[in-house]
Amino acid sequence: MKAKLGVNIDHVATLRNARGEGHPDIISAAKEVIKSGADSITIHVREDQRHIKKTDALILKKKINKPINLEMAPTEDMLRFALKLKPKYVCIVPEKRQEITTEGGLNLNQKNLKNIIQKLKNKKIEVSLFINPNLKDVKRSHILGANAVEIHTGAFASSLKNKNKNKVNIEFNKIKQCQIECQNTHMKFNVGHGLTYDSAAYLKKIKNINEYNIGHFIIGESLFDGFSKVVKKFKNILVK
Ligand code: PXP
């Protein structure tokens, strides 16, 4: 299986919004990363729309020729918006207003989850759940009817960055066990959060990762090397 790369362009919008005008343009950014090999464009429309806005998502859907992966909180307002946007994929994520980024996986005990997943699937939208790397949550995702899970790789990525070998092994094994469980339950297996060239390359030891979703590192690194070089380098790491 050829692993796919989803590029999260939220931080292009963060930069744009810093001046309240149109530059840098997110459509141009999306087209540039697609030209360089991105397989999908990931956007997180937050409740406060602090980076990507609903209007951005609607324009993106019209202007790009690759799938959109909409990250959204499990709220009625976002469900209505997703049903209007009809992206190819939705990834349901937890959301706290004050957090800098998505700090952990979803709480799968929320009552409305099953209903939201079903309504999205009824419109032929593929649904993944952003979860912590534990077997219980993979099993529960399957019961809830998810098509895929995306494992929060933050703890793994930061232990690799900090060269904490013990923790790297522990976190890596948790992710690997989750992949096996996903395979057994026929759900797609995606990963994301905090990934860099090194951590993405390390995760390649796990076969059958469907998609890597990467944002912050790609945007940051592109300040030095440009989108084209950075996205191509990731594709080389993931696909070779
Ligand atoms: N996947 C999900 C579900 C996320 O919420 C995020 C962060 O917005 C990412 C992937 C990308 O994480 P990062 O920006 O750290 O690469």
Side-chain angles (χ1 to χ4, degrees):
M1 179 207 267
K2 258 195 186 171
K4 289 186 279 213
L5 173 65
V7 176
N8 179 317
I9 59 165
D10 290 350
H11 293 309
V12 178
T14 306
L15 193 57
R16 176 199 62 184
N17 297 350
R19 277 292 170 97
E21 292 179 14
H23 190 269
D25 173 43
I26 56 151
I27 308 296
S28 309
K31 287 187 172 168
E32 182 67 13
V33 296
I34 288 168
K35 201 167 82 188
S36 312
D39 298 288
S40 61
I41 297 294
T42 297
I43 49 175
H44 183 175
V45 178
R46 283 182 170 267
E47 186 198 1
D48 58 8
Q49 299 187 62
R50 69 181 185 220
H51 34 61
I52 295 285
K53 300 177 190 307
K54 288 178 179 169
T55 46
D56 292 329
L58 292 165
I59 296 170
L60 263 175
K61 172 85 190 302
K62 282 200 189 123
K63 300 259 171 147
I64 64 169
N65 59 0
K66 287 280 177 186
I68 288 181
N69 174 26
L70 174 70
E71 294 177 357
M72 58 170 251
T75 63
E76 285 304 316
D77 175 56
M78 280 311 299
L79 173 64
R80 266 194 303 278
F81 179 68
L83 295 175
K84 177 176 170 194
L85 181 69
K86 292 206 205 77
K88 182 153 180 98
Y89 311 113
V90 156
C91 179
I92 302 180
V93 301
E95 198 172 295
K96 291 186 219 138
R97 196 170 261 253
Q98 262 76 37
E99 70 188 355
I100 292 173
T101 181
T102 317
E103 284 163 358
L106 201 56
N107 167 8
L108 299 180
N109 294 319
Q110 300 171 74
K111 277 204 195 104
N112 58 349
L113 264 184
K114 195 167 184 166
N115 185 33
I116 289 179
I117 293 168
Q118 196 53 55
K119 284 189 171 150
L120 292 166
K121 283 171 66 181
N122 288 347
K123 292 280 176 206
K124 307 239 175 321
I125 298 169
E126 243 183 61
V127 184
S128 77
L129 303 179
F130 190 46
I131 59 171
N132 289 320
N134 68 63
L135 282 180
K136 196 171 107 256
D137 283 1
V138 178
K139 288 180 180 158
R140 177 104 188 108
S141 300
H142 179 59
I143 292 168
L144 287 169
N147 304 100
V149 301
E150 179 172 330
I151 296 292
H152 192 303
T153 50
F156 163 74
S158 63
S159 52
L160 192 72
K161 212 175 296 164
N162 299 330
K163 300 187 170 52
N164 183 340
K165 270 193 186 164
N166 250 347
K167 186 115 198 306
V168 169
N169 283 337
I170 292 169
E171 293 298 331
F172 177 81
N173 281 324
K174 284 200 236 169
I175 299 171
K176 197 170 163 187
Q177 291 311 310
C178 290
Q179 190 280 322
I180 294 167
E181 183 61 27
C182 256
Q183 198 158 328
N184 291 340
T185 48
H186 308 289
M187 287 189 293
K188 287 186 183 168
F189 185 75
N190 302 330
V191 291
H193 210 279
L195 296 175
T196 61
Y197 293 138
D198 289 344
S199 39
Y202 198 108
L203 283 179
K204 260 193 76 182
K205 292 183 201 171
I206 300 175
K207 299 293 168 222
N208 296 328
I209 293 182
N210 173 61
E211 185 161 80
Y212 293 68
N213 274 309
I214 307 177
H216 189 264
F217 182 83
I218 289 183
I219 308 297
E221 198 65 8
S222 295
L223 292 176
F224 305 107
D225 280 344
F227 272 140
S228 175
K229 203 165 158 191
V230 175
V231 172
K232 282 180 184 155
K233 193 162 168 185
F234 264 113
K235 284 292 285 195
N236 260 335
I237 291 171
L238 301 182
V239 174
K240 259 193 187 163

